[in-house]
């Protein structure tokens, strides 16, 4: 059995995406699921430090050039064997050479401090 | 919902007590794309060189049957694939810029809405491996070519393989497959790759040797044209040319005529195999005598020619020799060593090397393999290797 990894057919060069690495798991905040929901705002300081504000947390990270880049593979729909007898087809949608690594513990953002009565 | 605007972003910054003056003006508002949770994207970590190949437009192929571990093949290399888990969450974000890119950008926009295309907590890891070529020989040995007179060949094309068939069945890159076909002297007959059945191969070789002898040609200058003329009535010309290519080096003289310089070692080795395959083992000195008498005039036999083909037992009285072909042994490292140690308990490095040489990965030495899979000791002043574990 063979699975072919072909490049995306785009005429220009292969797209370059970025990896964002976070601790923990991704969970939808609303019951409606993940699609369309906001993750957060990504800023960079003038020194180039990435700053991610997610909900009530603020995370500081760093830009890392990957020693071993990644290829992003996207499975193509076909469940039946294709014309060349291939069982599965993936396209290489993009390359990833950079990641934003957020390893520090998120600092909670305190929004409302109730006044003492 | 509606996309975030600058006012909302600034409000969040204020709540978070981050000073906007310390930040670059552009913000990425990250949200999950419509297919992000569908799990159709995955990550493949690239070994050096693969990234450049992909950027140059080369395709990669994943090969493996259900009972095999999948491998990834580029044009000329093979890699084992393994899932690596990470304790972190990896989000893949198209259109996300790095600080360098933002600083270089002359654009004045200050919000980029980036949609996360997918996420994962694992990725495929690659490790360069030896191409899995033993199956190639096994497939071609299902139906070795016995010559045009063999009635067998008119039967179905069931066990016959084209290049495309081999590409889909063998876990190796195309270049590694084509190279190995050359190494094992396979030839294409009617579009199918075939290995010659040994007896037929010897029959062809014998025709050529007899002709060399009767024409008193130098072994270094065997003319193709005359071989085809003289032997063409006995065997297909393609087969005559194939046997010359298998056992000789092709070259052109100044007039452009094709000649072959015969490989003395390879011919002697083939004749040894022909002699040895007829019994379990032979008296060594008797064998050496018969062997020398059986090779063409002018050729000299030597045990060095039999590395990986036959093994000498110097501990028996009289000394004996028997057929042991490396290509008949298991392909996996541990299985190969188990097999060798069940044939003989203790090996010298000299004796075992031809039977493990092919296991060496890129830049790996025989010594490293022996350190890993064997235990050494001294026997009569000679270093020998035996199994690390008890052999049943």
């Amino acid at each position: 059995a063979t699975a072919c990894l072909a490049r995306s057919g785009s005429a220009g060069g292969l797209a370059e995406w970025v990896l964002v690495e976070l601790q923990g798991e991704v969970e939808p905040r609303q019951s409606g699921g993940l699609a369309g929901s906001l993750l957060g705002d990504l800023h960079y300081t003038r020194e180039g430090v990435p700053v991610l504000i997610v909900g009530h947390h603020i995370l500081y990270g760093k830009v890392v050039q990957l020693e071993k880049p990644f290829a992003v593979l996207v499975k193509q729909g076909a469940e039946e064997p294709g014309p060349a007898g291939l069982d599965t087809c993936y396209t290489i949608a993009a390359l990833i050479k950079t990641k934003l690594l957020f390893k520090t513990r998120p600092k909670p953002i305190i929004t409302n401090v109730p006044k003492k009565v | 919902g509606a996309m975030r605007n600058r006012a909302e972003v600034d409000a969040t910054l204020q709540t978070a007590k981050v000073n906007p003056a310390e930040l670059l003006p552009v913000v990425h508002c990250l949200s999950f794309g419509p297919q992000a949770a569908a799990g159709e994207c995955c990550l493949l970590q690239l070994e050096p060189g693969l990234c450049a190949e992909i950027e140059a437009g080369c395709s990669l192929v994943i090969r493996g049957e259900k009972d095999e571990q999948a491998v990834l093949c580029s044009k000329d290399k093979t890699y084992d694939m393994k899932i690596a888990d990470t304790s972190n969450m990896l989000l893949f974000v198209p259109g996300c810029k790095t600080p360098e890119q933002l600083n270089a950008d002359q654009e004045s926009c200050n919000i980029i809405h980036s949609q996360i295309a997918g996420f994962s907590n694992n990725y495929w890891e690659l490790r360069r491996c030896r191409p899995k070529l033993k199956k190639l020989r096994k497939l071609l040995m299902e139906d070795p070519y016995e010559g045009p007179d063999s009635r067998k060949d008119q039967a179905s094309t069931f066990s016959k393989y084209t290049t495309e068939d081999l590409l889909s069945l063998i876990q190796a890159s195309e270049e590694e497959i084509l190279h190995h076909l050359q190494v094992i002297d396979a030839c294409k007959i009617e579009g199918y790759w075939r290995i010659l059945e040994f007896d037929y191969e010897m029959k062809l070789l014998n025709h050529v040797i007899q002709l060399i002898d009767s024409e008193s040609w130098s072994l270094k200058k065997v003319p193709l044209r005359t071989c085809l003329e003289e032997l063409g009535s006995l065997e297909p010309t393609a087969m005559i040319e194939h046997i010359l290519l298998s056992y000789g080096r092709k070259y052109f003289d100044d007039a452009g005529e094709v000649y072959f310089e015969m490989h003395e070692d390879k011919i002697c080795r083939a004749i040894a195999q022909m002699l040895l395959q007829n019994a379990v083992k032979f008296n060594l000195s008797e064998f050496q005598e018969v062997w020398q008498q059986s090779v063409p005039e002018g050729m000299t036999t030597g045990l060095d020619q039999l590395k990986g083909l036959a093994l000498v037992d110097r501990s028996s009285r009289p000394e004996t020799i028997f057929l042991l072909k490396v290509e008949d042994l298991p392909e996996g490292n541990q299985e190969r060593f188990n097999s060798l140690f069940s044939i003989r308990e203790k090996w010298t490095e000299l004796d075992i090397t031809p039977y493990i040489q092919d296991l060496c990965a890129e830049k790996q030495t025989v010594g490293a393999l022996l350190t890993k899979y064997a235990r050494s000791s001294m026997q009569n002043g000679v270093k020998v290797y035996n199994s690390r574990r008890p052999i049943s």
Side-chain angles (χ1 to χ4, degrees), chain A residues 1 3 21-22 36 39 44, chain B residues 28 30 32 62 65 88-89 97:
Chain A
E21 186 168 341
L22 301 173
L39 175 69
Y44 295 105
Chain B
H28 291 81
L30 303 179
F32 288 93
I62 295 176
E65 300 299 313
N88 293 340
M89 184 56 52
K97 293 190 193 276

Side-chain angles (χ1 to χ4, degrees), chain A residues 1-3 5 7 18 20-22 36-37 39-42 44-46 58 68-71 73 75 97, chain B residues 4 21-24 28 30 32 40-42 44 46-47 54-55 60-62 64-65 88-89 91 93 97:
Chain A
T2 314
L5 305 183
R7 275 188 52 164
V18 164
V20 173
E21 186 168 341
L22 301 173
S37 66
L39 175 69
D41 296 339
L42 171 67
Y44 295 105
T45 66
R46 294 199 175 272
I58 181 164
K68 291 190 187 179
F70 285 98
L73 308 183
K75 198 185 261 198
K97 300 185 185 176
Chain B
R4 276 171 80 71
E22 289 171 7
L23 301 176
L24 296 181
H28 291 81
L30 303 179
F32 288 93
E40 292 192 335
C41 273
C42 65
L44 173 71
L46 300 174
E47 285 298 298
I54 292 171
E55 286 174 307
L60 305 175
V61 186
I62 295 176
E65 300 299 313
N88 293 340
M89 184 56 52
L91 310 172
V93 192
K97 293 190 193 276

Side-chain angles (χ1 to χ4, degrees), chain B residues 287-304:
Chain B
F287 163 77
Q288 282 177 301
E289 208 180 302
V290 173
W291 185 29
Q292 179 61 63
Q293 287 165 8
S294 307
V295 300
E297 183 99 27
M299 289 196 177
T300 311
T301 57
L303 291 174
D304 272 356

Side-chain angles (χ1 to χ4, degrees), chain B residues 164-305:
Chain B
E164 283 64 44
D165 292 332
L166 294 176
L167 284 173
S168 82
L169 290 167
I170 306 296
Q171 293 186 295
S173 70
E174 182 167 358
E175 241 179 66
E176 287 162 330
I177 291 173
L178 292 175
H179 177 257
H180 196 64
L181 285 167
Q182 209 183 38
V183 165
I184 62 178
D185 291 325
C187 59
K188 249 199 199 164
I189 298 173
E190 290 172 12
Y192 297 101
W193 284 101
R194 309 296 295 277
I195 275 185
L196 299 189
E197 199 250 335
F198 187 67
D199 288 348
Y200 181 60
E201 187 173 335
M202 290 301 101
K203 185 173 167 215
L204 289 167
L205 183 61
N206 199 43
H207 284 318
V208 168
I209 288 173
Q210 298 297 341
L211 188 61
I212 292 173
D213 187 54
S214 67
E215 299 281 328
S216 299
W217 287 328
S218 154
L219 290 164
K220 294 194 198 303
K221 202 167 181 181
V222 175
L224 173 63
R225 183 203 295 267
T226 319
C227 284
L228 297 180
E229 281 166 4
E230 296 298 316
L231 301 174
S233 55
L234 300 171
E235 298 293 344
T237 51
M239 288 296 102
I240 297 164
E241 187 162 358
H242 175 72
I243 205 73
L244 285 165
L245 284 166
S246 301
Y247 285 90
R249 179 188 66 87
K250 179 173 170 177
Y251 67 94
F252 298 86
D253 74 351
D254 296 329
E257 285 290 311
V258 179
Y259 288 89
F260 289 89
E261 180 181 349
M262 304 313 288
H263 292 310
E264 178 171 353
D265 289 345
K266 196 163 175 183
I267 292 175
C268 290
R269 190 182 167 97
I271 291 171
Q273 179 176 336
M274 194 175 66
L275 296 171
L276 288 169
Q277 66 181 14
N278 291 320
V280 173
K281 61 182 165 190
F282 287 84
N283 174 306
L284 178 64
S285 49
E286 278 176 23
F287 163 77
Q288 282 177 301
E289 208 180 302
V290 173
W291 185 29
Q292 179 61 63
Q293 287 165 8
S294 307
V295 300
E297 183 99 27
M299 289 196 177
T300 311
T301 57
L303 291 174
D304 272 356
Q305 293 163 337

